[in-house]
Amino acid sequence: SSLDAIDSAEPSAPINDDESVDPGEPRVSDLVTDVSGSVNIGSTIGKPLRVVARKVQSTMVTLTWKAPNGDAEVAGYNIFYDGDKIASTKQRKFTIEGLSPGTAYKYSIRAVGVGDELSPPSKEVSVTTSSLDATDSAEPSV
């Protein structure tokens, strides 16, 4: 196969040999380090735990969760609705407003590390807002 030919090909000059590289040019190993530092190759940050919908009302819900396990430093959290990011927070609690009464929603949370790496998504939490009743108003109070 063509990959076998590439694997067996001998380089015409040494690669990463300090004597063959211009000192002003970055070495291949330097470039790989720079790229791996900015690309999320494998997440080292754990996913948020125990996502719970609290204070479910007709037009709002508050989500709470526990910090991920592990030693990775968490800079914040991204909140997702049906897979789309809708908000960010530094807290382990977030209130979502402007929801429709009597409607089902699915949310998940991803931790964000100090290097902007993302955790895997938390377990999805499903919530259905309450229907309007005599004490609720379709118009927001000011």
Side-chain angles (χ1 to χ4, degrees):
S1 81
S2 61
L3 290 178
D4 292 334
I6 292 171
D7 287 343
S8 65
E10 290 289 320
S12 58
I15 297 175
N16 274 347
D17 182 348
D18 289 335
E19 297 163 27
S20 66
V21 174
D22 182 326
E25 294 293 318
R27 294 190 315 249
V28 171
S29 61
D30 294 335
L31 295 173
V32 170
T33 301
D34 290 344
V35 171
S36 67
S38 64
V39 175
N40 186 5
I41 293 172
S43 180
T44 58
I45 192 166
K47 65 182 176 182
L49 305 170
R50 298 188 196 145
V51 180
V52 177
R54 301 184 184 278
K55 300 182 184 174
V56 178
Q57 297 178 13
S58 61
T59 60
M60 63 186 274
V61 63
T62 298
L63 302 176
T64 62
W65 57 90
K66 301 284 183 190
N69 290 331
D71 296 331
E73 191 174 342
V74 175
Y77 299 91
N78 290 339
I79 294 88
F80 291 81
Y81 164 67
D82 281 343
D84 294 323
K85 179 180 166 185
I86 60 166
S88 296
T89 182
K90 293 182 187 265
Q91 307 299 315
R92 290 191 313 264
K93 172 175 148 177
F94 190 80
T95 298
I96 302 162
E97 298 176 325
L99 303 176
S100 297
T103 304
Y105 296 91
K106 292 182 181 183
Y107 297 102
S108 63
I109 312 296
R110 291 180 81 173
V112 180
V114 293
D116 287 336
E117 67 276 16
L118 287 174
S119 75
S122 68
K123 185 174 179 181
E124 199 170 61
V125 63
S126 295
V127 59
T128 300
T129 53
S130 57
S131 297
L132 287 178
D133 62 29
T135 61
D136 287 335
S137 169
E139 296 295 321
S141 58
V142 180

